[in-house]
Amino acid sequence: LVAAGIKVVGCYHPAFIARFDHELPKFRAALQTAKEVLTKEWKAKPGAGTYRVLTTLTEVRELFDTFKRVAPEKGVKAPVAFDTETGSLSPFQTEFPKLLCFSFSQVAGTAAVIPFDHVESPFREGSKDRAGLTKMLCTFFADETIPKVAQNEKFDRQHIFEAIGTAPANVRDSMLLHFVLDERRGTHGLDVLAYQYTGMGGYDKPLENYVKTHKEANPRRGGSYANIPGEILFPYAGMDADVTIRAYAAMRKEKAF
């Protein structure tokens, strides 16, 4: 259908709404979208943005300074989404590099990625800038004046604390926020939120395709994300943070919130 130029609008079946009438607002929203498509009023949500990989302490310092300089809204600084890519689900394993990279986004459509333990990182353990980077990361995460957002924050918290000895302060969890808005199982993953709240649905496909065809990069087959090239892993990490900040902002505008 799509290849033929036919637009498709997903919608709940009316029989489903008859059984679960609390989903009626979403049914109405789908009909409204269909109407906008037919009248050519519909506009696609923005897709992937611009993502930078930082390789010097100067770039990292400028990034964190930017988070402090953004004009406060109602006396509160703009939130910063962060994410981590790790070598394993466990922060205590020693087989693979532990925390591969950090990613940050404060403005939709942009993100910065800081390689950490990844083999392509200039900040790996033993490098001359490792201590300087760790200090800046600790300062940022400990700063209670900067509101932060993360998807499934408890996972990142464990890995960050193990890596740098500081736990993130003043954090909102976008996954828990969505759980408040929609209790259904299977709807809270970042890949699902990307389809629901952004124009970036399917952003994880390049990484997933690489993992499927490279056993050494597949955690389910004894591999690790540590074996994914930076040219694939780092953009994916940036998009994780970008989707998080976009979804968080969109959920905050929902009537149920």
Side-chain angles (χ1 to χ4, degrees):
L1 293 177
V2 176
I6 299 175
K7 294 182 173 62
V8 179
V9 178
C11 183
Y12 286 121
H13 193 284
F16 178 86
I17 300 302
R19 296 175 59 194
F20 303 98
D21 58 359
H22 63 283
E23 299 287 10
L24 183 58
K26 294 180 180 179
F27 181 74
R28 288 174 174 164
L31 295 181
Q32 178 63 31
T33 298
K35 175 184 176 181
E36 292 173 359
V37 170
L38 291 173
T39 58
K40 298 183 179 181
E41 298 175 358
W42 179 80
K43 293 182 180 179
K45 297 180 177 120
T50 303
Y51 312 113
R52 299 183 298 138
V53 179
L54 310 186
T55 57
T56 69
L57 289 182
T58 298
E59 291 176 318
V60 175
R61 186 177 298 107
E62 290 174 350
L63 174 71
F64 290 144
D65 285 345
T66 298
F67 295 157
K68 297 176 182 178
R69 290 198 304 265
V70 170
E73 179 182 349
K74 298 180 180 179
V76 180
K77 294 177 182 176
V80 178
F82 68 87
D83 188 63
T84 60
E85 302 305 329
T86 63
S88 171
L89 292 178
S90 171
F92 309 113
Q93 59 86 27
T94 57
E95 183 179 359
F96 304 108
K98 294 186 176 182
L99 203 158
L100 306 176
C101 64
F102 296 86
S103 55
F104 303 90
S105 177
Q106 191 176 46
V107 179
T110 67
V113 180
I114 304 176
F116 198 65
D117 287 330
H118 191 273
V119 66
E120 297 176 32
S121 171
F123 304 113
R124 294 191 305 277
E125 189 69 47
S127 67
K128 63 182 180 63
D129 291 331
R130 176 76 167 204
L133 173 61
T134 300
K135 182 177 180 180
M136 282 190 274
L137 288 167
C138 288
T139 299
F140 166 77
F141 281 115
D143 191 338
E144 296 186 357
T145 70
I146 301 177
K148 306 170 188 70
V149 184
Q151 174 78 2
N152 191 20
E153 183 265 349
K154 69 179 186 297
F155 176 85
D156 298 284
R157 173 178 294 271
Q158 291 179 329
H159 285 269
I160 290 172
F161 185 79
E162 176 66 16
I164 66 175
T166 298
N170 192 5
V171 184
R172 293 107 169 105
D173 192 325
S174 53
M175 184 179 74
L176 295 182
L177 174 55
H178 189 260
F179 191 91
V180 173
L181 298 173
D182 187 342
E183 296 181 353
R184 292 175 302 147
R185 288 184 178 182
T187 65
H188 314 301
L190 197 59
D191 55 341
V192 179
L193 300 187
Y195 280 105
Q196 183 174 355
Y197 293 109
T198 80
M200 294 177 61
Y203 75 93
D204 54 339
K205 294 302 181 184
L207 181 138
E208 291 299 322
N209 290 337
Y210 186 89
V211 168
K212 288 179 181 178
T213 56
H214 294 77
K215 179 180 178 181
E216 71 279 6
N218 191 334
R220 295 181 179 179
R221 301 172 65 188
S224 167
Y225 276 19
N227 295 318
I228 299 178
E231 64 181 4
I232 295 176
L233 183 68
F234 298 156
Y236 168 79
M239 287 188 277
D240 268 352
D242 187 16
V243 170
T244 299
I245 200 67
R246 293 195 209 188
Y248 175 75
M251 285 188 282
R252 294 264 301 181
K253 295 178 182 177
E254 292 225 16
K255 292 181 180 180
F257 184 83

